Amino acid sequence: MTLAQLRYAITVANSNSMNEAARNLFISQPSLSSAIRELEEEIGIELFRRTNRGISVTPEGEEFLGYARQVVEQYELIESKYVSKEHTKKKFSVSMQHYTFAVNAFVEMVKQFGMDEYEFAVHETRTYDIITDVKDFKSEIGILYLNDFNHKVLEKLFHEFNLEFHPILECSIYVYMWKGHPLADRYLITLEDLREYPCLSFEQGTYNSFYFAEEVLSTYEYKRLIKANDRATLLNLMVGLNGYTLCSGIICEELNGSDYCAVKLDSDEVMTIGYLARKGTTISKLGQKYLEEIAKYKDKALR
């Protein structure tokens, strides 16, 4: 296996066409096809599925290409630093469910390291995308939760993708709403109290099963349910429609403002928020600092 073959495979995957990839690589199409076939024979898997309409990456190919991209990116970093003598920035990326405190921890980490020497990326995204981001090396760390309902399904997926889940904090379930909500002054709220108000939930796209929901009690038959795909929209719906969502109860007024509150839900449910990482890998200096910032919220989780 050669670095050139890895680059060829990545270019073919990005192009979805052998002819287009050959043009981008400035080699002949037969030479490219031969190199890909030799690579497939060596690693013992089919990377691409060929049809009359072009090519597509196989599931096994997707996993291989995740590793290939990391190898090529690392080589290019070495080459630029020690051969081309270029100054390159270290990179850190994290994918997360829609937790304000996880974003705030990211902000604090960036402040401490600065952006002159480092390049950062943060992805607030869907549950399945968090898992695949870590699997495919798009993110070093993924932040999500497990509970009694979803852990068997998600842990099976973690195992298949060679990932490990590490608990950070445990918390009870809270109702998150704006302070003008009719129930905002309650000490405890039941699901029956919430029945006439719209429950707000994050859209999960193709993987929209109960197990991938960001909110606990996803199988409950809500009378009114609205799905959205970003945190700002949910906050607007809380104010405009007296909507609510179920959350950890960790509030960050620094980012969301002081117009919202969390009230304990009358439930014994517990959620464990933690981080997802590739099995057997060492967390980078940036990643370790980010996890230190996240851990500071252990004492802020409402009970």
Side-chain angles (χ1 to χ4, degrees), residues 170-174 248-251 262 264 298-303:
E170 289 188 349
C171 48
S172 300
I173 311 307
Y174 283 76
S248 65
I250 304 175
I251 298 177
K264 178 78 167 61
K298 285 182 180 180
D299 298 333
K300 296 182 181 181
L302 302 176
R303 302 293 180 183

Side-chain angles (χ1 to χ4, degrees), residues 9-26:
I10 293 169
T11 304
V12 171
N14 292 340
S15 303
N16 292 319
S17 164
M18 200 68 73
N19 287 329
E20 182 180 343
R23 287 194 297 271
N24 293 336
L25 291 165
F26 302 102

Side-chain angles (χ1 to χ4, degrees), residues 92-97 99-100 102-107 109-110 119-125 133 138-139 141 143 231 290:
F92 174 72
S93 177
V94 58
S95 295
M96 63 183 70
Q97 290 177 325
Y99 299 130
T100 309
V103 177
N104 203 44
F106 184 86
V107 170
M109 183 267 295
V110 171
E119 182 178 316
F120 301 99
V122 58
H123 310 280
E124 267 195 338
T125 188
D133 282 354
K138 181 178 179 180
S139 288
I141 290 171
I143 304 295
R231 188 151 39 91
Y290 176 69

Side-chain angles (χ1 to χ4, degrees), residues 174-224:
Y174 283 76
V175 183
Y176 193 62
M177 60 183 70
W178 79 299
K179 289 182 177 178
H181 193 287
L183 302 177
D185 60 349
R186 295 282 190 91
Y187 172 76
L188 191 69
I189 295 178
T190 67
L191 286 172
E192 187 59 33
D193 293 332
L194 295 165
R195 186 166 177 77
E196 299 303 319
Y197 301 101
C199 176
L200 310 176
S201 174
F202 285 108
E203 174 65 51
Q204 295 297 318
T206 304
Y207 294 88
N208 202 28
S209 85
F210 294 131
Y211 298 107
F212 290 95
E214 289 192 38
E215 304 78 23
V216 295
L217 305 177
S218 57
T219 58
Y220 180 78
E221 290 291 333
Y222 294 96
K223 182 179 179 181
R224 299 174 180 178

